[in-house]
Every structure is written in structure tokens, then in C-alpha cells.
Amino acid sequence: MLEKELLAVLRLQSTPKVGDIISKKLIRTLGTASQIFEEKKSSLLKIDGIGEFIVHQLLNEKTLKHAEKELEYIKKHRISYAYFFDSNYPKNLQNCVDAPLLFFYDGKLNWEQDRIISIVGTRNMTNYGRDFCKQFIEDIAVYNPLIVSGLAYGVDICAHQAAIENKLQNIAVLAHGLNEIYPKKHKQFLPEIMNNGGIISEFWHDTQPMRENFLKRNRIVAGISKCTIIIESAARGGALVTADIANSYHRDVFAVPGKVTDYYSRGCNNLIQSNQAHLLSSANDIATMLNWDIGQKPIVKQTELFVSLDNVEQKIYDYLREKGKQLLDVIALDCEIPVYKLSSILIQMELKGVVKPLPGKLFVVN
């Protein structure tokens, strides 16, 4: 990107009330970021959704001086960056309407690969969550995925450490500038992360870690990956925000179930119960759901002729043959069978070998 264009993009980033969505709209309308600041006020006001207040903010010279200082820092320290309209921008994130216009990164990063998963959860991780996280990443390592998390206490750092131990590339998404690490205790893991992965942030170099920044960076965690995994979470927490964002991007969300009495399993259990997440019990669930076993073609099996199905079973079987894998609740609704009865019928059909259960209360013809 030309220096003039980068300066204009930085100026857009520093303009109050002009976020990523409006910035992209302006750029698409006028062709380049620099053209925005060369247009007359009257021309800007003709753009749909751009009013007096936004134009006033755009023409404020203070943002130019602010952007010039950041540009000098970028040049001096040779900071790498990814611009939304450039080819080096992560494709998964580029499909998100509110993705950052510009973000900065450092390390040995390769986000071109297809197998990218985000792992998040509570900062107050239990032994159950820690054991699951470590075992899960050890098992999933055979597929060589890129692991994304936020370098925070608890689940985040556990995921980063497990990725390092299993020689997997991993990315830490920061909620502050690249020139510091929060929490400071986790700076010790930075060399190994940078050696096979790296750090990324949409925030300028002097931005301090503030609560709203952690919530804002969650959309990068959710958007850059194919799926988001919640290891543990209380009934409310930042991990659930990430799950909501991932769902809004139509990405798969997985949650690790726990005892109903466990405080840090309530969020995961609620996600599963409300069909906002697939139940995650092993690495195989991810590989199956995301079709990672592409080298192994599924064996098409026909129902043996001697297997007898009653009218209700035949109805369910025909429905699944036509629709493919379906949620238990959806089958119940479409086939007009109460869930409690359907569960029992599906068990009998499973024993007969005509249907197969999948993670997340899904069923498919065997």
C-alpha cells in the first residue's frame, strides 16, 4: 500500500464515530481511502448514510496529526499490517461485515490454510477444563490446525501452551498495541508463539488494555477461524460474547459440556441446550463436522432388506434420506413427533443400524 493511502486509512481509524463499516462504505464509494479526504464536503454529504456529524469528524485536522504520528511509528519499527482490501488479508475475516479495516501483526503467520480454530473460555479454568483442553489439542494436532486465542489467563493461555507443545502454529489476538503484552506474566511464551505463529492487533502501538478492547477483539477471534470452541464458561462471560459473534458470522460453535452443578460449565451447557453450540466431546467431533477427513471417502451403505421398519420409523428414515443430517428438535418438528418419543424411536433405529447419531444432537441415515 502506498504511504499516502496508509496515512488515509490510519486517519479513518482515528476518526471518532467512523467505524469499520462506515469506513469500508466510504472507500467502496470513492475508490480509495485517500480520496475521502480530497472530496468536497458537499460531495461527501451526497453519500447515503453520511451526514453532517460524520463529515465534520472526517474533516477534523486533529485526526491527520494523530495518524501521521502512528505512520512514523509503523515506518520506524517496520510494523507489518493487513488492509481489508488487500490480498494478504485473512479470507475468513474478510467475509465479516465488521472486520477491522486495518490490523497489525508480528511473527511467522500463515492464515491462508483452511483449518483454523479458535479456542476460548473462562479465565478461572478448572482442572477438568485444563485436562480437556490439553488432550483435545494433542488429539487434533494430527490435522495440523492453526490455533487462535487471546493470550488471557485460563483457557486462552492453556490453548497457546498446548499448541506450542504440539508444534502447532498459533495466533494470539491482542486487546492492545503490539508493543506490550497483557498480562505481563505471559510475555514468557512470546518467543515460542512468534517462532511458529504470532500476534495480531487492530489497536495502535500505544493503546492500553481496556475492558472494551477485549470485547472488541473478540470479533477477530471469531471471524478469523472456521469454528469457535468454548472450553469452560460461567453463565455470563466474554467467551459467550465470542460465541454469539461466531454464530452471527454463521460459523460453527462448539462447547464442552460439564456437570449441571459446575459453575464454570453453565455457559457451555446453556449454549448446547439452546442449540447455539454443538456438543464437543473429542477432537473427532471437529474433524467430522468440518469434513477434515477429506482423504477418506465415506462408504455409502444401503439399509439391508431384512431390516423391518414400522410406519413411524419409515417416515423418519425417508425424511433423513431426503434432508441429510438434521437436529433432533428439527426432526421432531418436521415429522410431528414429540421429542421424548422421537428420542426413543431413534435409539431403536440406531440399534437396527439404519441411523447414526452425530455430535450436537444431529442424526443421519447410516
Side-chain angles (χ1 to χ4, degrees), residues 205-225:
H205 79 279
D206 57 352
T207 304
Q208 298 300 305
M210 297 180 287
R211 185 179 184 278
E212 57 267 28
N213 291 348
F214 286 93
L215 294 174
K216 189 176 182 182
R217 69 95 187 267
N218 287 349
R219 78 193 195 289
I220 299 179
V221 175
I224 201 170
S225 63

Side-chain angles (χ1 to χ4, degrees), residues 282-300:
S282 69
N284 186 58
D285 295 341
I286 299 291
T288 300
M289 191 67 70
L290 300 184
N291 295 315
W292 282 1
D293 285 323
I294 55 175
Q296 299 178 0
K297 294 184 179 180
I299 300 172
V300 179

Side-chain angles (χ1 to χ4, degrees), residues 15-302:
T15 303
K17 307 301 181 182
V18 178
D20 296 300
I21 295 176
I22 292 177
S23 294
K24 291 170 204 167
K25 180 177 184 177
L26 287 165
I27 293 169
R28 287 191 176 104
T29 302
L30 297 173
T32 64
S34 56
Q35 186 61 40
I36 296 169
F37 300 100
E38 295 174 7
E39 287 290 318
K40 294 180 179 180
K41 180 179 179 180
S42 57
S43 298
L44 291 172
L45 287 171
K46 291 178 182 178
I47 300 173
D48 185 43
I50 307 300
E52 285 276 0
F53 178 78
I54 290 178
V55 171
H56 175 73
Q57 297 294 332
L58 287 169
L59 300 180
N60 189 335
E61 290 297 319
K62 289 182 179 179
T63 60
L64 175 59
K65 294 178 180 179
H66 194 193
E68 286 173 339
K69 289 182 179 179
E70 187 65 16
L71 178 60
E72 286 304 311
Y73 182 90
I74 291 170
K75 290 164 56 181
K76 181 180 179 180
H77 296 276
R78 297 181 179 181
I79 304 297
S80 299
Y81 56 84
Y83 176 47
F84 184 83
F85 293 102
D86 282 350
S87 59
N88 72 329
Y89 199 91
K91 295 297 182 290
N92 289 336
L93 195 57
Q94 212 165 32
N95 291 327
C96 304
V97 64
D98 58 350
L101 182 64
L102 183 80
F103 70 79
F104 313 97
Y105 63 91
D106 193 11
K108 299 177 181 178
L109 293 164
N110 174 23
W111 46 62
E112 292 298 318
Q113 65 168 297
D114 187 57
R115 296 174 179 178
I116 305 176
I117 58 176
S118 294
I119 300 177
V120 295
T122 179
R123 299 186 180 204
N124 301 298
M125 198 176 198
T126 69
N127 289 333
Y128 166 71
R130 184 174 294 102
D131 291 344
F132 183 93
C133 185
K134 289 182 177 181
Q135 189 62 55
F136 170 80
I137 292 180
E138 181 181 333
D139 293 342
I140 205 75
V142 67
Y143 299 99
N144 196 33
L146 189 164
I147 306 296
V148 179
S149 198
L151 205 66
Y153 289 113
V155 172
D156 286 19
I157 194 60
C158 182
H160 287 299
Q161 286 181 276
I164 291 168
E165 290 169 4
N166 288 278
K167 297 179 172 56
L168 296 177
Q169 183 185 182
N170 67 118
I171 293 177
V173 184
L174 307 181
H176 46 74
L178 294 182
N179 65 338
E180 69 170 282
I181 293 297
Y182 178 86
K184 294 186 183 299
K185 182 179 179 180
H186 293 167
K187 194 171 184 178
Q188 62 182 304
F189 304 109
L190 199 58
E192 290 177 294
I193 291 175
M194 300 288 274
N195 187 53
N196 190 20
I199 55 177
I200 68 177
S201 175
E202 66 181 302
F203 301 104
W204 290 10
H205 79 279
D206 57 352
T207 304
Q208 298 300 305
M210 297 180 287
R211 185 179 184 278
E212 57 267 28
N213 291 348
F214 286 93
L215 294 174
K216 189 176 182 182
R217 69 95 187 267
N218 287 349
R219 78 193 195 289
I220 299 179
V221 175
I224 201 170
S225 63
K226 287 290 187 180
C227 74
T228 295
I229 297 168
I230 316 298
I231 299 290
E232 283 187 310
S233 175
R236 300 177 68 178
L240 301 185
V241 174
T242 308
D244 284 342
I245 296 171
N247 275 314
S248 74
Y249 293 156
H250 304 293
R251 307 290 167 82
D252 284 307
V253 177
F254 295 83
V256 178
K259 294 179 182 178
V260 295
T261 54
D262 287 351
Y263 183 82
Y264 289 110
S265 288
R266 290 177 185 173
C268 290
N269 291 341
N270 290 342
L271 286 173
I272 296 167
Q273 186 178 39
S274 59
N275 290 324
Q276 295 179 71
H278 304 290
L279 186 151
L280 178 64
S281 61
S282 69
N284 186 58
D285 295 341
I286 299 291
T288 300
M289 191 67 70
L290 300 184
N291 295 315
W292 282 1
D293 285 323
I294 55 175
Q296 299 178 0
K297 294 184 179 180
I299 300 172
V300 179
K301 296 172 66 177
Q302 288 186 326

